[in-house]
């Protein structure tokens, strides 16, 4: 089943163009999203939604965090995101007409299931699961479901499940926009960008060799910082989680604007700093954050848009990424971070597909 790949994780990273393609297949019209993908009469429910609460764990939680940036920039619906293990044990102020969304690759994560039970008891408007396993407990317990069509994910480190979750969350946001009405141009542009994804992911994968060379620099390191801004901050969080999980290097993500409030004290020549820098409205802000790091002797590893004007220097390595639409940049910039942690782990000789102490499906509290 592995074919020419050395590990499932690498195979699954490379399957992402097809996984995304399949997740979009038969779900899009020319300028809109097919309303039926969430079931009949769903528009009536979506029209009533006044709040969205997203619940998930680990990587799936990071997908939820990105979706919040998207949801609140494209709709007027407030969106909250919380990890299931926190949500399930605290009281929530009841909210009116809340759509409760769970995200899970396995659909069997105990904390996520318990959070869903709680939301149902508290009286949410409707529940929706975004999962990768048909007939999973989460799917069965939810009113609606939108599947990610990633295919089986064997590697414990989640890769293609994450990018297809992001695609599916885009579909959900599009459906909400359609149900609320009056945004047909914005929906059309969302659909147009989604269709570009498979090719753009292929292009991102072409940096694999260069990323492998970069990864060698991390072998002896014990810590790493990951930086991003806006919807790239959760991308940085996901990059840090991947590195921790499979290479056992301690990694933390920060929104780049927070550096000066503490973590800058950690920066020296021993601390690699990874940053994702697409050419978005926040690029200039990010650049000044990166300068704060560089001037303190930090070594920067950047994944930056080739038009960003960030040039390699003695202590700055840059992987130049192709230009991508801002709206889908988090999906594309996830790819090089997956490859980075993969290659670091291979260099370190860890068990990439089955990292110590972890299980693929966390069915215990
Ligand atoms: O199956 P789920 O998506 O509910 O799993 C949630 C987390 O356990 C999972 O994403 C975990 O963080 C991954 N191993 C990270 O790569």
């Amino acid at each position: 089943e592995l074919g020419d790949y050395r590990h499932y994780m690498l195979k699954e990273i490379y399957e992402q163009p097809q996984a995304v393609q399949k997740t979009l297949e038969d779900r899009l019209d020319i300028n809109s999203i097919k309303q039926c993908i969430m079931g009949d009469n769903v528009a009536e429910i979506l029209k009533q939604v006044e709040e969205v609460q997203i619940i998930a764990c680990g990587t799936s939680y990071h997908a939820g965090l990105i979706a919040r940036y998207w949801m609140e920039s494209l709709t007027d619906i407030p969106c909250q995101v919380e990890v299931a293990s926190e949500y399930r044990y605290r009281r929530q102020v009841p909210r009116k007409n809340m759509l409760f969304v769970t995200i899970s690759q396995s659909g069997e994560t105990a904390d996520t299931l318990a959070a869903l039970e709680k939301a149902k008891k508290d009286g949410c408007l409707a529940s929706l699961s975004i999962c990768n396993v048909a007939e999973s407990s989460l799917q069965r317990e939810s009113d609606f479901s939108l599947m990610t069509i990633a295919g089986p994910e064997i590697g414990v480190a989640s890769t293609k499940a994450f990018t297809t979750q992001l695609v599916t969350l885009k579909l959900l946001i599009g459906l909400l926009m359609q149900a609320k009405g009056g945004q047909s141009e914005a929906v059309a542009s969302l659909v147009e960008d989604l269709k570009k994804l498979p090719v753009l992911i292929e292009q991102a994968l072409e940096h694999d060799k260069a990323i492998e060379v970069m990864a060698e620099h991390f072998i002896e390191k014990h810590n790493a910082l990951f930086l991003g801004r806006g919807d790239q901050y959760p991308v940085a969080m996901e990059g840090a989680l991947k590195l921790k999980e499979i290479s056992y290097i301690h990694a933390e993500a920060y929104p780049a604007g927070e550096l000066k409030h503490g973590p800058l004290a950690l920066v020296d020549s021993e601390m690699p700093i990874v940053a994702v820098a697409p050419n978005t409205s926040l690029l200039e802000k990010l650049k000044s954050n990166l300068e704060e790091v560089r001037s303190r002797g930090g070594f920067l590893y950047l994944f930056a848009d080739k038009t960003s004007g960030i040039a390699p220097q003695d202590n700055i390595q840059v992987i130049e990424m192709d230009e991508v639409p801002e709206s889908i940049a988090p999906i594309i910039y996830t790819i090089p971070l997956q490859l980075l942690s993969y290659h670091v782990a291979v260099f370190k000789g860890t068990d990439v597909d089955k990292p110590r102490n972890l299980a693929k499906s966390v069915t215990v509290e």
Side-chain angles (χ1 to χ4, degrees):
E1 246 197 274
L2 262 177
D4 290 339
Y5 293 100
R6 195 163 157 198
H7 297 98
Y8 280 104
M9 181 181 178
L10 188 63
K11 177 168 179 264
E12 288 160 5
I13 290 173
Y14 271 86
E15 280 171 354
Q16 288 176 110
Q18 297 88 308
V20 163
Q21 180 66 45
K22 286 211 169 113
T23 300
L24 292 172
E25 225 159 63
D26 299 327
R27 287 170 152 178
L28 301 178
D29 278 325
I30 296 174
N31 285 321
S32 62
I33 293 152
K34 291 186 181 166
Q35 205 72 40
C36 61
I37 64 172
M38 238 178 97
D40 296 332
N41 304 325
V42 77
E44 276 316 303
I45 300 274
L46 294 183
K47 212 184 276 178
Q48 294 171 53
V49 172
E50 289 178 48
E51 294 256 1
V52 170
Q53 173 72 59
I54 299 178
I55 292 294
C57 304
T59 289
S60 301
Y61 167 66
H62 296 154
L65 288 176
I66 294 172
R68 175 172 55 192
Y69 284 91
W70 290 344
M71 180 99 60
E72 295 203 358
S73 76
L74 290 167
T75 76
D76 289 329
I77 309 169
C79 177
Q80 308 223 34
V81 191
E82 194 168 343
V83 288
S85 56
E86 286 300 311
Y87 184 89
R88 64 178 289 195
Y89 292 117
R90 68 176 187 87
R91 173 185 178 266
Q92 283 85 27
V93 178
R95 281 173 274 144
K96 217 179 123 216
N97 289 336
M98 179 178 87
L99 176 67
F100 188 81
V101 181
T102 52
I103 311 172
S104 171
Q105 188 286 130
S106 62
E108 303 295 344
T109 302
D111 285 324
T112 310
L113 275 162
L116 169 62
E117 284 320 305
K118 182 169 192 289
K120 290 206 289 197
K121 230 180 263 160
D122 290 350
C124 59
L125 170 71
S127 55
L128 163 71
S129 67
I130 294 179
C131 19
N132 195 41
V133 178
E135 298 301 319
S136 59
S137 306
L138 208 56
Q139 195 189 25
R140 278 186 278 115
E141 295 295 322
S142 304
D143 301 321
F144 299 98
S145 110
L146 269 178
M147 297 279 300
T148 51
I149 321 287
E153 194 182 62
I154 311 287
V156 165
S158 189
T159 52
K160 60 179 181 170
F162 179 69
T163 41
T164 54
Q165 283 165 352
L166 291 174
V167 168
T168 310
L169 286 157
K170 279 271 185 199
L171 295 175
L172 170 64
I173 292 167
L175 288 176
L176 282 162
M177 292 162 80
Q178 285 173 193
K180 300 276 179 188
Q183 284 204 77
S184 48
E185 268 181 37
V187 174
S189 119
L190 185 154
V191 167
E192 196 187 317
D193 289 347
L194 285 177
K195 288 180 180 164
K196 294 180 184 153
L197 272 170
V199 170
L200 293 175
I201 296 176
E202 290 283 4
Q203 288 173 6
L205 288 168
E206 285 168 16
H207 297 292
D208 194 2
K209 275 276 157 269
I211 295 170
E212 185 176 4
V213 172
M214 186 187 255
E216 267 197 273
H217 293 235
F218 288 73
I219 306 175
E220 302 295 325
K221 302 290 180 196
H222 298 289
N223 298 287
L225 273 180
F226 282 68
L227 304 177
R229 290 192 83 124
D231 60 10
Q232 294 288 333
Y233 166 45
V235 172
M237 293 171 81
E238 174 57 11
L241 175 61
K242 247 13 17 133
L243 192 69
K244 277 188 267 222
E245 192 179 19
I246 59 169
S247 76
Y248 313 149
I249 293 174
H250 174 235
E252 290 304 325
Y254 268 92
E258 274 291 297
L259 270 182
K260 53 187 171 298
H261 300 291
L264 210 47
L266 291 171
V267 172
D268 61 15
S269 56
E270 282 309 299
M271 173 74 88
I273 291 129
V274 180
V276 272
N279 197 354
T280 67
S281 44
L282 289 171
L283 179 64
E284 288 311 312
K285 296 254 175 255
L286 180 71
K287 278 185 182 170
S288 50
N289 300 140
L290 298 181
E291 183 50 34
E292 290 166 4
V293 171
R294 203 195 54 80
S295 63
R296 284 162 183 87
F299 204 112
L300 284 162
Y301 299 90
L302 300 183
F303 298 93
D305 188 292
K306 60 183 176 202
T307 65
S308 66
I310 304 177
Q313 295 176 30
D314 274 353
N315 52 353
I316 307 185
Q317 281 203 15
V318 186
I319 302 277
E320 289 193 344
M321 305 282 291
D322 288 304
E323 268 183 274
V324 293
E326 182 161 353
S327 75
I328 50 170
I331 304 177
I332 305 300
Y333 279 73
T334 293
I335 312 291
L337 298 188
Q338 294 170 342
L339 287 168
L340 178 66
S341 59
Y342 172 76
H343 288 300
V344 175
V346 171
F347 280 130
K348 291 194 72 174
T350 61
D351 190 346
V352 174
D353 285 332
K354 286 201 183 75
R356 66 187 182 202
N357 309 339
L358 298 176
K360 182 67 185 161
S361 187
V362 185
T363 52
V364 292
E365 271 191 39

